[in-house]
Amino acid sequence: MGEATTIGLDIAKSVFQAHGADAAGAVVFRKKLSRGRVLAFFAAQPPCLVAMEACAGAHHWGRELARLGHEVRLIPPAYVKPFVKRQKNDMADAEAICEAAQRPTMRFVTPKSTEAQGAAVIFRTRDLLVRQRTQLINALRGHLAEFGFIVRQGPGHVSKLVDLVADPSSELPAEARPVLAVIADSLQAIQARILVLDREIAARAKADPVVKRLMTIPGVGPIVAGG
């Protein structure tokens, strides 16, 4: 049996699948690896090309495998899909990753450092909070509309929704007011957290020369430039 020059690694929560191929593309091994055995297995392999789909956890494993001397390449999942030859499963996915990595025209994703991933968390968190804010606004707007209170669309009018709930003189039913107050309070709390993240993003943007250059483009602010 020859030596693997390319290994396709399908990562998972518990059991990983590795597919090794030699320089001619012939199969050298197919192995299932528990999460705890992955690094020990690759430490025993001669330095080679290790490819994974660019999905959750791939950047972490890429950094770990690079420390062991392997060349790591991450492939967008959409570019791996055409190489799956049979019913989709972990073994077929690992083989497809291996084959895709051997194609000379394949495009790869640059592995991220821990610092880059850490910086991206703030944008994902903000996106999550913005979605939650939108859900709360829609819920509050819909409930108030059932009682005849209509407020214009747009974030600038959200305060009017909250004021209607807080106003003791408004004609909201007593049964509905405390429940709507829960939504209004949650909405205000999320808005406050979004403002905190916005200030943090703006502060980081001032310290990042690349982001500062991008912000010189008309219409590009800290969130777009940093994200």
Side-chain angles (χ1 to χ4, degrees):
M1 183 179 293
E3 183 177 284
T5 58
T6 305
I7 300 175
L9 181 64
D10 185 64
I11 63 177
K13 291 182 180 179
S14 301
V15 180
F16 293 27
Q17 181 74 38
H19 179 98
D22 61 21
V27 178
V28 176
F29 59 75
R30 294 187 178 95
K31 287 187 178 293
K32 284 187 177 182
L33 303 167
S34 65
R35 190 180 185 89
R37 292 182 53 222
V38 171
L39 293 182
F41 172 79
F42 278 94
Q45 299 298 312
C48 63
L49 171 63
V50 180
M52 294 174 283
E53 286 187 333
C55 56
H59 294 278
H60 162 72
W61 286 106
R63 291 190 295 268
E64 294 296 316
L65 296 176
R67 291 191 185 101
L68 297 176
H70 298 291
E71 179 184 357
V72 177
R73 292 184 181 175
L74 306 182
I75 308 174
Y79 293 172
V80 174
K81 188 176 180 179
F83 295 93
V84 179
K85 299 184 180 68
R86 52 188 181 275
Q87 185 176 1
K88 183 175 173 62
N89 53 52
D90 292 346
M91 184 181 296
D93 288 347
E95 182 178 356
I97 294 168
C98 183
E99 185 172 341
Q102 293 176 309
R103 294 302 172 105
T105 58
M106 182 54 59
R107 296 180 181 179
F108 301 100
V109 175
T110 302
K112 294 180 180 178
S113 65
T114 52
E115 293 78 12
Q117 281 194 285
V121 170
I122 189 171
F123 294 98
R124 293 200 294 270
T125 302
R126 186 184 185 278
D127 287 343
L128 172 63
L129 293 179
V130 168
R131 291 196 300 272
Q132 292 177 341
R133 180 181 65 182
T134 300
Q135 290 176 332
L136 290 170
I137 290 173
N138 290 340
L140 193 56
R141 188 186 300 280
H143 291 316
L144 288 173
E146 293 179 4
F147 300 112
F149 296 97
I150 305 299
V151 176
R152 293 178 60 185
Q153 297 282 345
H157 302 285
V158 171
S159 61
K160 296 179 182 178
L161 297 172
V162 176
D163 291 343
L164 278 170
V165 175
D167 184 2
S169 66
S170 64
E171 297 179 357
L172 284 174
E175 296 82 359
R177 190 183 297 277
V179 180
L180 295 177
V182 172
I183 299 177
D185 291 344
S186 299
L187 178 57
Q188 289 180 303
I190 284 182
Q191 179 60 29
R193 293 188 179 99
I194 291 173
L195 291 175
V196 169
L197 294 181
D198 285 346
R199 287 194 289 268
E200 177 64 21
I201 290 171
R204 293 184 184 185
K206 291 180 181 179
D208 190 319
V210 175
V211 175
K212 288 175 67 175
R213 286 199 300 272
L214 289 173
M215 288 171 57
T216 62
I217 301 173
V220 175
I223 294 173
V224 174

